[in-house]
Every structure is written in C-alpha cells, then in structure tokens.
Amino acid sequence: MAGRSYTTAWLLWAFFGWMGAHRFYVGHPATGLAYLLTVGMCCVGWLCDAFSLVALVDDANARDVLQPLLETDSDGRRLTYSRPPPVVFASPPGMRGGRDDLDDGSGGGGGGGGGDGGGGGGG
C-alpha cells in the first residue's frame, strides 16, 4: 500500500511545520493555509500537532483506502450521483389550500351588521 509516510510527515513537521507543510501533506489544505498565514498559529498549533501527527497520517491513509471503495460499485465501475428531483407538496384531491377556502362564493355570512346605519345621538 502506497500511503503517506510517517517519516516524511515528521520531517515536514519539524522543519516546515510552522508553515503548515505537514497539514498539506496529510490532506488538510485549509488548516495548512491557516498555519501558513499565522506562523503555525503562533507555534501553538504546530506544537500541538506533535501529539496528533500520527493520527493525522493514519486518517489520511484510511481516506486513501476507503475513498475509492465508496466511489465504485461491486464491478469496479465509478458511481455517478445525480441530484434527486425536488419534492413538491400538493394538496390532496378535492381540497384547496390557501385563502380561497375562506370565501368559496356561496354568499353566506360576511358584511357588517345591517341596521339603518344611524347612530343613536343623545340629546
């Protein structure tokens, strides 16, 4: 298996770790760029990576092994993914949705309270 080497990762960490070279090597370009722009996050992140470098290399090697398996079928053909169609929520047959249900044109109700419109003026 041609994976990433622990020796190479340690050498990159020791000499160029403050620039994030070991992070680029194990497939973490975002944190590699952050290290590059912040001098290894003021060397604190660089020192913390001394304790996690073996796990970073193991994860990178596992990704290299698993990724091709996840992207091929049992015959070795590359899987292609398409976006599923959008979900459309429709009302059940015979039912309408929205404000149209409030006034169906049957002429019932509505309007103010009849009367003669006069106010009872006191006097």
Side-chain angles (χ1 to χ4, degrees):
M1 177 174 93
R4 289 175 175 84
S5 165
Y6 293 105
T7 305
T8 303
W10 279 110
L11 289 172
L12 287 171
W13 174 83
F15 295 106
F16 304 106
W18 60 271
M19 292 189 303
H22 62 292
R23 287 285 183 158
F24 287 107
Y25 181 68
V26 296
H28 292 278
T31 53
L33 184 61
Y35 277 41
L36 183 63
L37 297 175
T38 62
V39 187
M41 294 187 194
C42 298
C43 294
V44 173
W46 175 68
L47 291 173
C48 289
D49 280 349
F51 299 101
S52 63
L53 190 59
V54 172
L56 288 171
V57 173
D58 287 342
D59 288 344
N61 288 335
R63 273 194 318 272
D64 291 345
V65 170
L66 293 177
Q67 194 65 33
L69 295 177
L70 296 174
E71 294 179 351
T72 57
D73 64 5
S74 60
D75 295 327
R77 293 179 297 219
R78 184 170 174 81
L79 296 174
T80 58
Y81 299 97
S82 62
R83 176 173 279 176
V87 176
V88 178
F89 295 101
S91 299
M95 295 186 73
R96 295 187 325 196
R99 297 189 54 86
D100 292 338
D101 288 343
L102 298 177
D103 183 19
D104 61 0
S106 63
D116 63 334

